[in-house]
Amino acid sequence: MAAQPRAGGLTMLDRVTGYILRGVAIACLVALFLLIFVNVGARTFQLASFPWFDEVIQGLFAWMVFIGSAALWREQDHFRVGWLADVLPDRPGRVLAIVVVLLEAAFLIAMTRYGWDLTVRSRALTPILNLPTGLLYASIPAAGAIMLIYTARDFYRAAIGRDPIERMPF
């Protein structure tokens, strides 16, 4: 039996990052489902009321959306219209890929910067649990930074002529 090639350090880090991103998004989704299920049951049978419910749901939803987006970004699974790049010859197609990646980077830089400002400047506390609202907002710069790292990967791929939309192994 032939020995399997060992994954490099960056490949292993990328794979672990993928597992963590998916794990956080899935854990948030499961927690959302369970909390909503319990809340609906409690209200239906008038068993209990959970005043903290909305705060927890908002936090879980924010983290699920932004970290889930980063997971999709890593795996190149987000929505993309690629017909123009497919019909262009190699050189113009590569230029288009580079321009698209640079536009993505510009958006992500703005998102990360303003998300960081929002997180740092937020001084409010949630009404029931008294948690800093910055905890909710922190998902924005965290996901933005992760997506920027993968955008740098996509830029490198586009610059050397590889397809930046090449699928990542989980």
PDB file of all heavy atoms in Angstrom, residues 110-124:
ATOM      1  N   ALA A 110     -13.693  47.293   3.594  1.00  0.00           N
ATOM      2  CA  ALA A 110     -14.660  48.237   4.162  1.00  0.00           C
ATOM      3  C   ALA A 110     -15.529  47.551   5.211  1.00  0.00           C
ATOM      4  O   ALA A 110     -15.758  48.099   6.300  1.00  0.00           O
ATOM      5  CB  ALA A 110     -15.520  48.834   3.047  1.00  0.00           C
ATOM      6  N   MET A 111     -16.015  46.353   4.906  1.00  0.00           N
ATOM      7  CA  MET A 111     -16.861  45.632   5.850  1.00  0.00           C
ATOM      8  C   MET A 111     -16.116  45.353   7.152  1.00  0.00           C
ATOM      9  O   MET A 111     -16.659  45.549   8.249  1.00  0.00           O
ATOM     10  CB  MET A 111     -17.344  44.313   5.246  1.00  0.00           C
ATOM     11  CG  MET A 111     -18.270  43.528   6.147  1.00  0.00           C
ATOM     12  SD  MET A 111     -18.772  41.951   5.445  1.00  0.00           S
ATOM     13  CE  MET A 111     -17.582  40.852   6.223  1.00  0.00           C
ATOM     14  N   THR A 112     -14.882  44.909   7.043  1.00  0.00           N
ATOM     15  CA  THR A 112     -14.094  44.579   8.228  1.00  0.00           C
ATOM     16  C   THR A 112     -13.777  45.836   9.040  1.00  0.00           C
ATOM     17  O   THR A 112     -13.914  45.839  10.273  1.00  0.00           O
ATOM     18  CB  THR A 112     -12.797  43.855   7.825  1.00  0.00           C
ATOM     19  OG1 THR A 112     -13.143  42.711   7.045  1.00  0.00           O
ATOM     20  CG2 THR A 112     -11.995  43.422   9.035  1.00  0.00           C
ATOM     21  N   ARG A 113     -13.378  46.887   8.354  1.00  0.00           N
ATOM     22  CA  ARG A 113     -13.019  48.125   9.052  1.00  0.00           C
ATOM     23  C   ARG A 113     -14.217  48.716   9.786  1.00  0.00           C
ATOM     24  O   ARG A 113     -14.143  49.045  10.974  1.00  0.00           O
ATOM     25  CB  ARG A 113     -12.472  49.149   8.075  1.00  0.00           C
ATOM     26  CG  ARG A 113     -12.099  50.451   8.733  1.00  0.00           C
ATOM     27  CD  ARG A 113     -11.594  51.479   7.736  1.00  0.00           C
ATOM     28  NE  ARG A 113     -11.278  52.703   8.397  1.00  0.00           N
ATOM     29  CZ  ARG A 113     -12.151  53.692   8.614  1.00  0.00           C
ATOM     30  NH1 ARG A 113     -13.394  53.561   8.217  1.00  0.00           N
ATOM     31  NH2 ARG A 113     -11.792  54.801   9.216  1.00  0.00           N
ATOM     32  N   TYR A 114     -15.337  48.864   9.081  1.00  0.00           N
ATOM     33  CA  TYR A 114     -16.505  49.460   9.712  1.00  0.00           C
ATOM     34  C   TYR A 114     -17.142  48.513  10.724  1.00  0.00           C
ATOM     35  O   TYR A 114     -17.710  48.964  11.715  1.00  0.00           O
ATOM     36  CB  TYR A 114     -17.505  49.929   8.658  1.00  0.00           C
ATOM     37  CG  TYR A 114     -16.973  51.113   7.886  1.00  0.00           C
ATOM     38  CD1 TYR A 114     -16.690  51.013   6.535  1.00  0.00           C
ATOM     39  CD2 TYR A 114     -16.712  52.322   8.531  1.00  0.00           C
ATOM     40  CE1 TYR A 114     -16.177  52.091   5.837  1.00  0.00           C
ATOM     41  CE2 TYR A 114     -16.199  53.401   7.832  1.00  0.00           C
ATOM     42  CZ  TYR A 114     -15.937  53.284   6.487  1.00  0.00           C
ATOM     43  OH  TYR A 114     -15.421  54.352   5.804  1.00  0.00           O
ATOM     44  N   GLY A 115     -17.035  47.234  10.499  1.00  0.00           N
ATOM     45  CA  GLY A 115     -17.499  46.272  11.495  1.00  0.00           C
ATOM     46  C   GLY A 115     -16.666  46.353  12.765  1.00  0.00           C
ATOM     47  O   GLY A 115     -17.194  46.256  13.878  1.00  0.00           O
ATOM     48  N   TRP A 116     -15.361  46.534  12.595  1.00  0.00           N
ATOM     49  CA  TRP A 116     -14.474  46.689  13.752  1.00  0.00           C
ATOM     50  C   TRP A 116     -14.819  47.973  14.500  1.00  0.00           C
ATOM     51  O   TRP A 116     -14.915  47.975  15.737  1.00  0.00           O
ATOM     52  CB  TRP A 116     -13.017  46.705  13.314  1.00  0.00           C
ATOM     53  CG  TRP A 116     -12.076  46.950  14.447  1.00  0.00           C
ATOM     54  CD1 TRP A 116     -11.419  48.101  14.745  1.00  0.00           C
ATOM     55  CD2 TRP A 116     -11.703  46.023  15.462  1.00  0.00           C
ATOM     56  NE1 TRP A 116     -10.664  47.955  15.875  1.00  0.00           N
ATOM     57  CE2 TRP A 116     -10.822  46.682  16.332  1.00  0.00           C
ATOM     58  CE3 TRP A 116     -12.036  44.700  15.723  1.00  0.00           C
ATOM     59  CZ2 TRP A 116     -10.269  46.069  17.447  1.00  0.00           C
ATOM     60  CZ3 TRP A 116     -11.469  44.081  16.832  1.00  0.00           C
ATOM     61  CH2 TRP A 116     -10.599  44.761  17.675  1.00  0.00           C
ATOM     62  N   ASP A 117     -15.005  49.074  13.756  1.00  0.00           N
ATOM     63  CA  ASP A 117     -15.380  50.342  14.401  1.00  0.00           C
ATOM     64  C   ASP A 117     -16.682  50.196  15.173  1.00  0.00           C
ATOM     65  O   ASP A 117     -16.810  50.676  16.304  1.00  0.00           O
ATOM     66  CB  ASP A 117     -15.529  51.456  13.358  1.00  0.00           C
ATOM     67  CG  ASP A 117     -14.194  51.931  12.816  1.00  0.00           C
ATOM     68  OD1 ASP A 117     -13.145  51.589  13.395  1.00  0.00           O
ATOM     69  OD2 ASP A 117     -14.204  52.647  11.795  1.00  0.00           O
ATOM     70  N   LEU A 118     -17.662  49.542  14.574  1.00  0.00           N
ATOM     71  CA  LEU A 118     -18.948  49.328  15.237  1.00  0.00           C
ATOM     72  C   LEU A 118     -18.771  48.495  16.506  1.00  0.00           C
ATOM     73  O   LEU A 118     -19.348  48.811  17.552  1.00  0.00           O
ATOM     74  CB  LEU A 118     -19.920  48.632  14.284  1.00  0.00           C
ATOM     75  CG  LEU A 118     -21.304  48.304  14.821  1.00  0.00           C
ATOM     76  CD1 LEU A 118     -22.079  49.584  15.128  1.00  0.00           C
ATOM     77  CD2 LEU A 118     -22.066  47.445  13.828  1.00  0.00           C
ATOM     78  N   THR A 119     -17.966  47.469  16.429  1.00  0.00           N
ATOM     79  CA  THR A 119     -17.732  46.593  17.579  1.00  0.00           C
ATOM     80  C   THR A 119     -17.052  47.349  18.712  1.00  0.00           C
ATOM     81  O   THR A 119     -17.463  47.263  19.867  1.00  0.00           O
ATOM     82  CB  THR A 119     -16.867  45.383  17.158  1.00  0.00           C
ATOM     83  OG1 THR A 119     -17.536  44.684  16.115  1.00  0.00           O
ATOM     84  CG2 THR A 119     -16.613  44.452  18.326  1.00  0.00           C
ATOM     85  N   VAL A 120     -16.013  48.097  18.383  1.00  0.00           N
ATOM     86  CA  VAL A 120     -15.229  48.792  19.399  1.00  0.00           C
ATOM     87  C   VAL A 120     -16.009  49.954  20.011  1.00  0.00           C
ATOM     88  O   VAL A 120     -15.923  50.205  21.217  1.00  0.00           O
ATOM     89  CB  VAL A 120     -13.892  49.284  18.790  1.00  0.00           C
ATOM     90  CG1 VAL A 120     -13.157  50.208  19.721  1.00  0.00           C
ATOM     91  CG2 VAL A 120     -13.029  48.095  18.431  1.00  0.00           C
ATOM     92  N   ARG A 121     -16.782  50.657  19.202  1.00  0.00           N
ATOM     93  CA  ARG A 121     -17.495  51.838  19.697  1.00  0.00           C
ATOM     94  C   ARG A 121     -18.795  51.515  20.419  1.00  0.00           C
ATOM     95  O   ARG A 121     -19.344  52.377  21.090  1.00  0.00           O
ATOM     96  CB  ARG A 121     -17.791  52.778  18.539  1.00  0.00           C
ATOM     97  CG  ARG A 121     -16.550  53.396  17.962  1.00  0.00           C
ATOM     98  CD  ARG A 121     -16.899  54.240  16.769  1.00  0.00           C
ATOM     99  NE  ARG A 121     -15.711  54.604  16.043  1.00  0.00           N
ATOM    100  CZ  ARG A 121     -15.399  55.849  15.736  1.00  0.00           C
ATOM    101  NH1 ARG A 121     -16.203  56.826  16.074  1.00  0.00           N
ATOM    102  NH2 ARG A 121     -14.299  56.093  15.074  1.00  0.00           N
ATOM    103  N   SER A 122     -19.278  50.324  20.264  1.00  0.00           N
ATOM    104  CA  SER A 122     -20.562  50.002  20.892  1.00  0.00           C
ATOM    105  C   SER A 122     -20.371  49.919  22.397  1.00  0.00           C
ATOM    106  O   SER A 122     -19.514  49.202  22.897  1.00  0.00           O
ATOM    107  CB  SER A 122     -21.128  48.713  20.305  1.00  0.00           C
ATOM    108  OG  SER A 122     -20.899  47.639  21.121  1.00  0.00           O
ATOM    109  N   ARG A 123     -21.168  50.673  23.101  1.00  0.00           N
ATOM    110  CA  ARG A 123     -21.088  50.722  24.562  1.00  0.00           C
ATOM    111  C   ARG A 123     -22.349  50.176  25.220  1.00  0.00           C
ATOM    112  O   ARG A 123     -22.407  50.042  26.432  1.00  0.00           O
ATOM    113  CB  ARG A 123     -20.884  52.174  25.028  1.00  0.00           C
ATOM    114  CG  ARG A 123     -19.632  52.818  24.498  1.00  0.00           C
ATOM    115  CD  ARG A 123     -18.435  52.363  25.305  1.00  0.00           C
ATOM    116  NE  ARG A 123     -17.238  53.045  24.837  1.00  0.00           N
ATOM    117  CZ  ARG A 123     -16.245  52.439  24.219  1.00  0.00           C
ATOM    118  NH1 ARG A 123     -16.305  51.162  23.989  1.00  0.00           N
ATOM    119  NH2 ARG A 123     -15.191  53.100  23.822  1.00  0.00           N
ATOM    120  N   ALA A 124     -23.347  49.875  24.415  1.00  0.00           N
ATOM    121  CA  ALA A 124     -24.629  49.441  24.962  1.00  0.00           C
ATOM    122  C   ALA A 124     -24.539  48.018  25.501  1.00  0.00           C
ATOM    123  O   ALA A 124     -23.679  47.232  25.103  1.00  0.00           O
ATOM    124  CB  ALA A 124     -25.706  49.522  23.881  1.00  0.00           C
TER     125      ALA A 124
END
